[in-house]
Amino acid sequence: MKSFPMFIRTSGRRVVITGGGEQAAQKARLILKTDARIVLAAPELEDELAALVRQNKAEWHSGPITPALFEGAAMAFVATGCPGLDASLHALVTEARCPVNVVDQPDLCELTTPSIVDRDPVVVAIGTEGTAPVLARQIKTQVEQTLDPAIGGLAAFAGRMRDAVAQGVPRARRRAFWRWVFAETPKQAWVRGDEAAAIRAVKDAIADQASDQAQGGSIALVGAGPGARDLLTLRAVERLQEADVIFYDRLVDPACLELARRDAERVFVGKTVGAHAWPQDRINAVILAAARQGQRVVRLKSGDPSIFGRAEEELQTARAEGIPIEIVPGVTAACAMAASMGGSLTERGVTDALVLTTGQSRAGDPLPATTRHAGPGTTTAIYMGVAEAARIAGDLMAQGLPGAAPVRVGVSVSQPGEAMIDTTVATLASDLAAHKVTGCALILVSWPRHMAQAAPKAPALAQAV
């Protein structure tokens, strides 16, 4: 960063705006959002600025401008519209050691004005260090759409209740209490317009030394998607930002963890096929122990937790102990692979069934019948199938799929090292070996409804590049 973002206190302080035209009026509108004393320095004022003076919302300094005018001011804006005059005024302001913004002259600016989303007292400031103001406005529009207009009122109420919370809620529970206020019952009531219900809920919770929601720990099984950070859902990001501790898998991109709260504990519990340094029962035990301590736990899994993610074992463990647990779905590898290929997993009249299956089974169990649902009209996405590629290919051919039928393998889908390998059923195992594919890969087999064994036709999905 070339500029450090921060908020400047304006209470009881002056902000001096030099200029009496439209540029000065724009800055005045911005500062009117604060409680600063606005001083307009110009020999003449346009109508809007003159009205501010008449309404006692600003003071007018029509005399000579000297460095003394700027001494002790919180900031100054130079906005005459004349580049030469602006440069001269800039020299006077800097002589008084007052932070200054010169409109449309970034080289003369110590301060730049951000795009602002105002939910007083919640304020979001978006800056680009003067390089791309249009981009800043676009980001502002996106934030305006996602930040509820009523959230500022809830924040102001929370500020008035801080002393009561400090007295009524034990220190160890306060973070969870405030998370509950801003994420659950009080916030939901406030944003739907029932402020009385929100206030009552907070006060009742304080009287009870925090509500049950705020006291107890919880677990969220969060899908991190196939790897790319920008494929996380908004809900997944919310849970990461609320988490006290995050238990994450080997395939989770480190960039996803950067979205978490800075002081959240991060615990690696990665597992590799055939080498479980963290067996599932140990993972179950540690996430349960953290939740029992009142922590908000995120179990961050690659892909979608409910698709070959062993979510059911963690769900049952938590529910048996009465720990609240939820699933936050993620983008599964099959969907991400189709997106990378620019194709569809299904096609009307060609493949009207999608099968998600695996090449692996639980330790000690027989290998799964991976291809049992494959047949004309299906697209089969095979997870964790690399080690069993020869068996899977043999089963497909035994079911009637021609050996020359195309297969596509996605390696590290959506991640920087992503690769697509085009092969055939007959050469699947040998091509995987030739490309040294051993781990994170998805095998995609499309079997068109009309494919005949004697004259196989390349499926639309496998042709997409």
Side-chain angles (χ1 to χ4, degrees):
M1 294 186 297
K2 296 179 180 178
S3 302
F4 186 78
M6 67 191 327
F7 291 90
I8 301 172
R9 185 173 295 279
T10 56
S11 298
R13 305 183 71 188
R14 293 178 300 123
V15 172
V16 181
I17 303 173
T18 62
E22 174 57 25
Q23 285 189 349
Q26 291 174 3
K27 298 305 179 185
R29 293 177 206 134
L30 183 66
I31 301 303
L32 280 170
K33 295 178 179 292
T34 76
D35 58 357
R37 291 168 46 214
I38 299 175
V39 178
L40 302 171
E44 296 182 354
L45 300 178
E46 59 101 61
D47 291 343
E48 181 181 353
L49 295 176
L52 293 179
V53 173
R54 290 195 301 271
Q55 297 164 5
N56 294 321
K57 294 181 178 178
E59 303 171 17
W60 182 19
H61 176 90
S62 60
I65 299 177
T66 66
L69 177 65
F70 306 101
E71 289 178 357
M75 68 190 83
F77 292 95
V78 177
T80 70
C82 173
L85 180 55
D86 282 353
S88 298
L89 290 169
H90 170 264
L92 296 176
V93 179
T94 54
E95 184 177 336
R97 297 183 178 180
C98 176
V100 62
N101 173 275
V102 182
V103 175
D104 293 336
Q105 296 196 54
D107 290 342
L108 298 180
C109 292
E110 293 182 15
L111 303 174
T112 55
T113 53
S115 292
I116 292 175
V117 179
D118 186 5
R119 301 288 191 271
D120 186 36
V122 177
V123 178
V124 180
I126 303 143
T128 61
E129 297 185 339
T131 61
V134 172
L135 175 61
R137 288 194 291 271
Q138 291 175 348
I139 297 171
K140 166 185 163 68
T141 299
Q142 296 172 4
V143 176
E144 289 277 12
Q145 293 170 347
T146 57
L147 197 59
D148 193 279
I151 199 66
L154 178 60
F157 166 68
R160 297 191 295 271
M161 299 302 296
R162 290 192 69 84
D163 288 345
V165 170
Q167 295 174 12
V169 180
R171 181 183 295 274
R173 298 178 183 172
R174 285 178 202 159
R175 183 186 295 276
F177 179 86
W178 285 120
R179 192 220 60 83
W180 170 73
V181 169
F182 291 119
E184 299 183 25
T185 304
K187 179 188 176 183
Q188 292 162 7
W190 196 283
V191 299
R192 70 170 181 263
D194 195 349
E195 296 179 8
I199 292 170
R200 186 168 58 251
V202 172
K203 291 183 176 180
D204 288 348
I206 295 172
D208 293 339
Q209 294 194 352
S211 67
D212 291 341
Q213 294 99 315
Q215 291 182 40
S218 64
I219 300 170
L221 307 182
V222 176
R229 184 174 84 160
D230 57 356
L231 288 179
L232 266 72
T233 65
L234 290 175
R235 187 178 299 177
V237 174
E238 287 179 358
R239 296 300 180 268
L240 285 171
Q241 293 175 347
E242 295 167 355
D244 298 307
V245 57
I246 301 165
F247 297 94
Y248 64 98
D249 279 349
R250 175 179 62 91
L251 298 179
V252 171
D253 189 328
C256 295
L257 294 172
E258 293 301 316
L259 296 170
R261 204 178 76 227
R262 280 183 298 175
D263 57 346
E265 182 182 0
R266 295 158 172 81
V267 181
F268 174 69
V269 292
K271 296 186 293 182
T272 303
V273 175
H276 293 180
W278 274 77
Q280 188 62 44
D281 57 353
R282 184 183 175 194
I283 294 174
N284 293 346
V286 294
I287 64 175
L288 194 63
R292 284 195 190 114
Q293 294 171 5
Q295 293 183 299
R296 298 189 66 82
V297 178
V298 162
R299 173 72 172 97
L300 191 61
K301 296 170 171 282
S302 60
D304 183 286
S306 60
I307 298 178
F308 307 120
R310 305 187 74 167
E312 190 60 33
E313 297 171 46
E314 292 164 350
L315 289 167
Q316 291 179 4
T317 300
R319 288 168 179 162
E321 297 292 328
I323 302 293
I325 187 167
E326 66 170 332
I327 292 179
V328 178
V331 175
T332 191
C335 297
M337 183 171 173
S340 291
M341 292 166 54
S344 175
L345 292 171
T346 59
E347 182 180 352
R348 187 170 58 176
V350 180
T351 52
D352 52 14
L354 173 63
V355 178
L356 305 182
T357 185
T358 178
Q360 296 292 330
S361 60
R362 187 170 54 182
D365 288 353
L367 289 171
T370 304
T371 66
R372 65 183 180 277
H373 297 299
T378 65
T379 296
T380 303
I382 304 169
Y383 294 69
M384 297 172 285
V386 172
E388 296 296 322
R391 172 180 65 85
I392 290 168
D395 290 347
L396 288 169
M397 289 187 287
Q399 290 170 226
L401 184 63
V407 175
R408 176 160 282 189
V409 180
V411 181
S412 300
V413 174
S414 88
Q415 299 176 39
E418 177 185 276
M420 296 290 172
I421 300 172
D422 290 307
T423 181
T424 66
V425 175
T427 60
L428 173 61
S430 59
D431 281 348
L432 288 176
H435 285 86
K436 299 181 179 180
V437 178
T438 59
C440 183
L442 183 77
I443 300 170
L444 201 61
V445 181
S446 186
W447 190 333
R449 183 180 298 280
H450 55 273
M451 176 177 280
Q453 186 170 356
K457 183 178 180 181
L461 179 61
Q463 290 176 333
V465 177

